């Protein structure tokens, strides 16, 4: 159940994030405040439940260069980094989005 994953849990799972750790300093990401994006049931009636086949993970993410992240952090409106369709079925991955304003 995706409600079990909180901001604290997202930080705790970072220690297992081996791929991202190789790019620290080169790529940046806003704090993850959404549940893992994979693996969700592909059954239309259970779109908000994880499949029991794999460990939940944040496979779908948005990274930016230092210049890009500066633009995002300078946004006059708080950037929104989240997943789409938390209760609907959109396949085994939940798409993520990043919304911000540039001036």
């Amino acid at each position: 159940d995706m409600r079990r994953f909180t901001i604290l849990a997202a930080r705790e799972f970072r220690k297992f994030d081996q791929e991202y750790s190789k790019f620290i300093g080169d790529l940046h990401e806003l704090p993850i405040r959404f549940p893992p994006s994979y693996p969700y049931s592909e059954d239309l009636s259970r779109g908000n439940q994880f499949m029991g086949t794999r460990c939940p993970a944040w496979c779908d993410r948005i990274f930016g260069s230092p210049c890009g992240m500066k633009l995002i952090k300078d946004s006059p409106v708080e950037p929104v980094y989240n997943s789409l369709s938390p209760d609907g079925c959109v396949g085994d991955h939940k798409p993520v989005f990043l919304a911000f304003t540039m001036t």
Side-chain angles (χ1 to χ4, degrees), residues 4 8 12 14 17 32-33 39-40 46 53 59 69 71-73 79-80 83 87-90:
R4 293 176 45 205
L8 183 60
E12 180 64 23
R14 280 280 197 181
D17 196 355
I32 296 174
R33 295 189 175 113
Y40 283 90
R46 298 177 19 182
T53 55
C59 296
M69 291 309 288
L71 287 172
I72 293 166
K73 290 181 178 180
V80 178
S83 60
D87 294 321
C89 179
V90 291

Side-chain angles (χ1 to χ4, degrees), residues 15-103:
K15 66 184 173 189
F16 300 108
D17 196 355
Q18 300 299 312
E19 291 167 340
Y20 174 61
S21 64
K22 293 179 172 95
F23 297 100
I24 291 177
D26 296 321
L27 294 177
H28 302 275
E29 180 180 31
L30 292 177
I32 296 174
R33 295 189 175 113
F34 53 88
S37 60
Y38 175 82
Y40 283 90
S41 173
E42 295 182 86
D43 180 331
L44 292 175
S45 65
R46 298 177 19 182
N48 65 347
Q49 296 176 10
F50 292 117
M51 281 194 266
T53 55
R54 297 181 187 228
C55 179
W58 287 269
C59 296
D60 305 274
R61 296 158 65 184
I62 299 170
F63 295 96
S65 68
C67 292
M69 291 309 288
K70 182 175 179 352
L71 287 172
I72 293 166
K73 290 181 178 180
D74 288 347
S75 174
V77 178
E78 179 76 20
V80 178
Y81 182 33
N82 209 337
S83 60
L84 294 172
S85 190
D87 294 321
C89 179
V90 291
D92 60 348
H93 288 259
K94 295 283 186 190
V96 299
F97 70 94
L98 173 60
F100 63 96
T101 302
M102 291 178 53
T103 55

